Amino acid sequence: METGPRIIPRPEHNVSRAHISNNALKVMYRLRDAGYQAFLVGGGVRDLLLGREPKDFDIATDAHPEEVRQLFRNCRLIGRRFRLAHVFFGRDIVEVATFRAAGDEVGADDEESLLLLDDDGRILRDNRYGGIGDDVWRRDFTANALYYNIADFSIWDYAGGVEDIRAGVLRLIGEPEGRYREDPVRMLRAVRIANKLGFEIEPGTRDVIPRLASLLNEVPAARLFDEVVKLLLTREALANFRGLRELGLFAQLFPQT
């Protein structure tokens, strides 16, 4: 599944180390110096391209969680659904994720422990590791699937995220229904991220949501609570409220209304 990225060299983009937190840079440099790949990934790269101040600086690497922990004494491994390394700098936490495998290829010996799906195809646990070209297909939207390489300060774009950011379009990676079934919370994230950035949701990404809204019934209440807080305790709360209603999501979250 791995295909080559479009590599955008430093002179052709506006992401600067001056706008990346010192702690995130420390983590990436140490991973690089230890012989691992280290990329700033996700919303941090997206926001920097848009000239916005990122809320978080997340890192992706080919180092496994246990290898990350060996490099950082101030590291703690968390998560069962997705195994992550948190590197602590006082109250600041830098999250480090290992590149994840793509698709459903997994050995029989590993299937039970590494990959767990429910009957609807929703991912309950997935700790299979792959390369960066696999990892990109596990991310949700093209705008969130950009990788800033600390080795040469280039941006790697596998899914057309740079063009979608320039066009103001939020687009799911892959086939929308399957991606929403993997994780129904992506429907809520589509509304929130589009309104946060002032983007339009791409029609294929948007149009299947009303039909799949009932999938939210299978999501643990704690995850839904976290997403509702992000949706309604923000400057874009009214736009999010309207978007949730238009797509049939509000009725699933608050059936008594």
Side-chain angles (χ1 to χ4, degrees):
M1 177 169 286
E2 184 162 342
T3 58
R6 174 191 175 195
I7 297 179
I8 304 166
R10 177 62 187 92
E12 297 179 18
H13 66 77
N14 63 318
V15 175
S16 168
R17 283 171 292 167
H19 300 125
I20 299 173
S21 81
N22 287 332
N23 293 332
L25 289 172
K26 289 177 185 176
V27 172
M28 287 191 286
Y29 283 137
R30 186 175 295 185
L31 286 165
R32 181 201 64 183
D33 293 344
Y36 298 108
Q37 291 182 300
F39 293 82
L40 184 70
V41 68
V45 182
R46 176 200 71 205
D47 289 347
L48 289 170
L49 282 172
L50 289 168
R52 302 166 67 108
E53 182 177 353
K55 179 182 177 184
D56 301 301
F57 294 95
D58 296 333
I59 294 168
T61 179
D62 56 349
H64 286 199
E66 294 76 13
E67 294 171 326
V68 177
R69 184 166 57 183
Q70 290 175 359
L71 287 177
F72 298 93
R73 289 186 301 173
N74 52 330
C75 176
R76 181 183 305 162
L77 302 187
I78 67 156
R80 186 180 180 194
R81 185 172 182 265
F82 298 118
R83 195 76 163 150
L84 299 168
H86 278 181
V87 184
F88 291 80
F89 297 90
R91 300 179 65 179
D92 185 24
I93 299 174
V94 177
E95 185 171 281
V96 183
T98 303
F99 298 140
R100 301 196 182 279
D104 297 328
E105 303 103 0
V106 61
D109 293 340
D110 297 330
E111 186 170 356
E112 185 173 337
S113 61
L114 299 183
L115 176 64
L116 181 62
L117 308 177
D118 68 9
D119 292 339
D120 294 318
R122 182 166 60 94
I123 296 175
L124 301 179
R125 181 168 67 250
D126 186 358
N127 289 302
R128 301 165 302 147
Y129 304 128
I132 184 173
D134 300 311
D135 184 79
V136 66
W137 302 108
R138 305 310 307 275
R139 299 188 177 272
D140 48 12
F141 304 103
T142 61
N144 291 344
L146 299 171
Y147 298 76
Y148 173 83
N149 188 1
I150 198 61
D152 61 5
F153 319 123
S154 62
I155 290 177
W156 292 20
D157 180 6
Y158 285 85
V162 170
E163 293 304 317
D164 281 344
I165 287 173
R166 289 173 178 165
V169 171
L170 191 70
R171 184 192 313 270
L172 268 173
I173 297 172
E175 190 274 314
E177 179 166 345
R179 300 311 309 280
Y180 287 138
R181 288 189 180 279
E182 283 179 357
D183 186 359
V185 168
R186 288 175 177 147
M187 294 184 286
L188 303 179
R189 286 173 52 80
V191 173
R192 176 169 61 82
I193 294 173
N195 287 325
K196 173 185 175 181
L197 302 177
F199 282 15
E200 292 291 327
I201 302 177
E202 183 267 332
T205 298
R206 176 187 175 92
D207 293 347
V208 298
I209 291 178
R211 179 166 55 84
L212 302 176
S214 62
L215 293 174
L216 291 175
N217 293 332
E218 307 302 321
V219 178
R223 283 197 76 206
L224 291 180
F225 176 79
D226 288 343
E227 289 299 323
V228 168
V229 168
K230 294 175 184 177
L231 282 158
L232 300 183
L233 296 184
T234 175
R235 289 182 304 177
E236 296 82 26
L238 181 57
N240 289 338
F241 170 70
R242 289 171 172 162
L244 292 173
R245 290 193 63 191
E246 290 170 4
L247 295 174
L249 296 168
F250 191 85
Q252 296 297 322
L253 293 171
F254 300 99
Q256 291 183 334
T257 63

